[in-house]
Amino acid sequence: MAKINITIDNKAIECNENETILNVARANDVFIPAICYLNDCSPTLACRLCMVQSDGKQVFACNAKAKDGVVITTSNKELESHRNDVMQVYDVNHPLECGVCDKSGECELQNYTHYTEVSTQNHTIADTPRPQEEFNEDILYNPGLCIMCERCITVCNDSVGEGALGTRQREGESLNKDLKETISKDLFAMWNKLQKSLIAPTSGENLDCSSCGECISVCPVGSLTSKHFEYTSNAWELTKIPASNPHSSDCELMYYEVKHSSGTSNEAKIYRVTNDFGFSNLHGAARFGFDYISNSAKNEKELSNTLIAFKKADTIIFDSFITNEEALILQRLKEKYGYKLINHEAKAYQDFLYNFGHLYSANTKDIKSSDLIIVLGTNLSHDHPNTGYAINKALKMNKAKALYFHPIENNIVSSFAKPKSLLSITHKVYEEENILEYIANKMTPINIDTEFKFDDELQEQIDSFCDTNSTVTIVVGEDYYTHPNSSYLSSLLHEISINSNIKVMLIPPKTNSLGVSLICDLDKDEGEYSIGYNQKGDFTMSALGTGDIQIPSLAQQEGTFTNINKKVVPTNVAVTFDGYNLNDIANFMGLEAKNTIDYTHELPVFKGYKNIKFDELDNFYGNDNIEYRGYEIEDNFCFIPQTSSKKELENKDETYIYRCNPIKQFNYLTGASKNITESHGVYASKEYLDSLDLKSSDTISLNIENTTFDTNIYVDNKINGNICYITDFNSAIPTENIFKNGYRFKPVSIKKGAN
Ligand code: SF4
Ligand code: SF4
Ligand code: FES
């Protein structure tokens, strides 16, 4: 991108051509007041507060591009008077309920009212009653506080991709037209909108969305708030603890906000999770699934039982909701005592990654700047919402195109863009190999002999997306890692990556699947006696309090994760844990480390990790829009892919069920969260339930691979078609056992009623 030189308030600045004045100012620590603009989203020009002078002409900094040689003035009498006028209008009829408002102390309306020195009110207009509304089980809307900045609409559309919020008529008093003589036309337009509109769900009365809560996060006032946080604390009483999302492999920067749990107890409690909305997005589980904490005291008897069990055990079974440091401790215990390390999901991912040959090349930034993104093998908005946000940004902000292939039709992904830029193709189970071969033939010099064809019209549409001159990223999910032809798929992806400029991303299925895959030598078969580490074993260590000894949850641990962008990012303790953690147990068994984070700089360098201590890892975003979080691992390992022949698999037109969780459930901790209420069981589209003559919550009897059991079936409005999915975040149904070594799709028979 070409560089240009501009001046802002006498400061000479070099910046990129085509950057907005506001972004250039922010990157260079020059403050310009702005309410409605959201970084990386389209400007709405709703607030008019960011007015500056560019070579003497008034422009809005969030919308005007910097031009070579231009001289910008951000503050003078005229501009300050305009900003004072804007804030006066915002303050007309804004209820003075700051004493109880959730936003008080961090409210942009309060801050800008002070900043612009509003000390008088020159305007009046009759108010209209605007009672509070409950948008859904997480989100409250107080229209009386709404300043119609439209940030909530913008973030939901441009970042999250759901477009679940829009405007509706407010039916407020009309402005007196004579005002046009006394106030500026910008101010009149802004006030007029304030009187005329409110926010509303775009479809139906209730907000039927993924409930990520980003709209709460961006609301500058206390208009959109979290039902779980309402009236629980003043913002200024909370201590912000930077951490990383523990529920999925975006491991996005988030803050646990903590204070004492009650007037009579000094025990710390997490009151909410927040994020730097200008730089990152959180999904619903990250934002609301924080309320499970493990409580325990050191107990000699439990410790002695644990050490006896470790002596007896030959196997440790675990999952990837652990830190890199815990993974290294398990690996060290393996090296010292020969334990088999069993983690089925990470093993499938590790095998796929090793057979792919090296670390995948793409990261989230590559997705955002791609011309074409091809998504394969993932029910994206459930498996990895943040990758969905990145793809939506590419479509919305970069005019990219996307091809989305999956047996389940996902309405959230389809809503990212119109068919001209996003083609969502619902294919049959077991067609993954055909589709990847098609892409290889179409977009690379590889030539595979195949008879597979899409139907003519679809073929034409797909072909129109496949421009070989484009910057292309292929995003692959867990269906591929567990596929009976996974080695064929991984070696073909390897061929694609070395025979073209196409970048590949292999989504780590759980929070730290990538870290576990790089740090641990995983085994395939269990031995005779197992320790379960947050998994069922002969002796179980559990953060849920359901095992033989209690261990801390991820909100109670210091350490690092290796995230989807191949970065080692730190997480911190929100609430202390008084029992034994894995490091304590390992020390009793002969390893030596005072704290778990003493392992951070010992992570394996030959796998790309660096010899950097935990306390040296940053965890923030800069005003320059740069991520200062941990470090990126190097692509240090190289395996020769084993080209394996393709097994011929047949879709016998059976009924299939898919292993997948509802949108806010990711693991046993989200399952234990009181804030997240999605049940375990089976989910299906409304049309599928109707075809089975079932209603939401009905009891059904399932048979999958000769295992019969009862559960409940629920509607998921976010999917279409005739494939249902079954949850695996709660062990009340035997999903984990049935699916532990295999493909995410299995034939199923479903009967109404209990056995
Ligand atoms: S919760 Fe998320 S998806 Fe729902 S309206 Fe808000 S931003 Fe949109
Ligand atoms: S609800 Fe909040 S974010 Fe949305 S328009 Fe109103 S003030 Fe702005
Ligand atoms: S920030 Fe520019 S118009 Fe609101």
Side-chain angles (χ1 to χ4, degrees), residues 22 33-37 44-50 60-63:
L22 184 61
I35 290 188
C36 67
Y37 178 70
T44 58
L45 293 178
C47 78
R48 324 272 165 133
L49 202 62
C50 67
F60 294 107
C62 66
N63 189 42

Side-chain angles (χ1 to χ4, degrees), residues 141 145-152 199 218-221 223-224:
Y141 177 49
L145 302 175
C146 179
I147 60 168
M148 281 311 296
C149 66
E150 295 189 25
R151 271 193 197 171
C152 51
I199 297 305
V218 300
C219 184
V221 291
S223 184
L224 282 172

Side-chain angles (χ1 to χ4, degrees), residues 272-330:
R272 65 176 174 180
V273 160
T274 54
N275 62 317
D276 287 335
F277 59 78
F279 306 105
S280 66
N281 304 116
L282 293 181
H283 57 64
R287 189 176 312 281
F288 300 117
F290 57 79
D291 58 325
Y292 181 78
I293 288 301
S294 181
N295 284 313
S296 183
K298 288 193 164 57
N299 175 317
E300 293 293 318
K301 180 86 183 112
E302 276 181 5
L303 173 65
S304 129
N305 288 345
T306 308
L307 296 175
I308 291 168
F310 265 92
K311 273 216 171 96
K312 192 170 164 194
D314 56 6
T315 301
I316 301 173
I317 307 173
F318 64 111
D319 60 22
S320 299
F321 296 107
I322 64 171
T323 61
N324 290 321
E325 291 72 13
E326 289 173 283
L328 184 56
I329 293 172
L330 294 178

Side-chain angles (χ1 to χ4, degrees), residues 287-491:
R287 189 176 312 281
F288 300 117
F290 57 79
D291 58 325
Y292 181 78
I293 288 301
S294 181
N295 284 313
S296 183
K298 288 193 164 57
N299 175 317
E300 293 293 318
K301 180 86 183 112
E302 276 181 5
L303 173 65
S304 129
N305 288 345
T306 308
L307 296 175
I308 291 168
F310 265 92
K311 273 216 171 96
K312 192 170 164 194
D314 56 6
T315 301
I316 301 173
I317 307 173
F318 64 111
D319 60 22
S320 299
F321 296 107
I322 64 171
T323 61
N324 290 321
E325 291 72 13
E326 289 173 283
L328 184 56
I329 293 172
L330 294 178
Q331 174 64 18
R332 293 270 168 91
L333 289 174
K334 173 180 180 137
E335 285 159 13
K336 198 168 168 76
Y337 296 106
Y339 295 120
K340 291 166 187 283
L341 294 185
I342 302 292
N343 178 334
H344 296 293
E345 150 272 313
K347 176 81 174 117
Y349 185 67
Q350 185 180 63
D351 289 348
F352 198 90
L353 190 64
Y354 284 12
N355 206 44
F356 178 67
H358 51 88
L359 210 49
Y360 53 86
S361 50
N363 60 26
T364 308
K365 265 196 183 154
D366 294 312
I367 292 178
K368 286 187 190 164
S369 59
S370 292
D371 300 318
L372 175 66
I373 303 127
I374 302 173
V375 185
L376 305 165
T378 171
N379 187 25
L380 190 64
S381 57
H382 293 238
D383 287 354
H384 212 270
N386 287 52
T387 298
Y389 305 157
I391 293 172
N392 174 60
K393 283 233 164 136
L395 296 171
K396 296 267 167 58
M397 308 309 291
N398 194 34
K399 297 195 170 39
K401 292 185 170 187
L403 288 168
Y404 178 82
F405 295 90
H406 201 261
I408 293 181
E409 192 181 334
N410 181 313
N411 294 340
I412 290 185
V413 174
S414 307
S415 70
F416 288 171
K418 302 223 160 60
K420 249 167 67 189
S421 49
L422 182 138
L423 204 52
S424 183
I425 299 124
T426 312
H427 64 84
K428 282 187 175 175
V429 172
Y430 290 132
E431 272 185 357
E432 288 83 353
E433 308 89 320
N434 297 331
I435 290 163
L436 194 61
E437 286 171 352
Y438 171 83
I439 291 164
N441 280 342
K442 190 82 204 156
M443 306 210 60
T444 75
I446 301 169
N447 198 346
I448 300 167
D449 193 14
T450 166
E451 284 171 13
F452 173 79
K453 260 176 79 81
F454 295 101
D455 78 48
D456 289 350
E457 196 185 329
L458 183 59
Q459 181 91 24
E460 215 172 286
Q461 281 179 299
I462 297 173
D463 287 353
S464 72
F465 276 63
C466 296
D467 172 2
T468 42
N469 292 323
S470 306
T471 314
V472 183
T473 303
I474 296 181
V475 175
V476 175
E478 196 184 357
D479 303 1
Y480 272 43
Y481 321 146
T482 55
H483 197 282
N485 266 324
S486 61
S487 358
Y488 177 73
L489 291 166
S490 53
S491 52

Side-chain angles (χ1 to χ4, degrees), residues 245-251 318-324 327 343-354 359-360 383-384 478 481 506-522 554 560-564 566-567 607 609 633 637 659 666:
N245 173 16
H247 297 312
S248 53
S249 59
D250 53 89
C251 305
F318 64 111
D319 60 22
S320 299
F321 296 107
I322 64 171
T323 61
N324 290 321
N343 178 334
H344 296 293
E345 150 272 313
K347 176 81 174 117
Y349 185 67
Q350 185 180 63
D351 289 348
F352 198 90
L353 190 64
Y354 284 12
L359 210 49
Y360 53 86
D383 287 354
H384 212 270
E478 196 184 357
Y481 321 146
L506 305 178
I507 298 176
K510 310 281 185 222
T511 303
N512 203 17
S513 307
L514 179 56
V516 170
S517 300
L518 293 173
I519 295 163
C520 297
D521 298 329
L522 298 171
L554 278 174
T560 59
F561 302 123
T562 312
N563 74 6
I564 191 169
K566 303 161 285 177
K567 289 190 87 171
K607 293 284 180 66
Y609 290 93
I633 53 173
F637 74 95
R659 175 176 58 76
F666 285 82

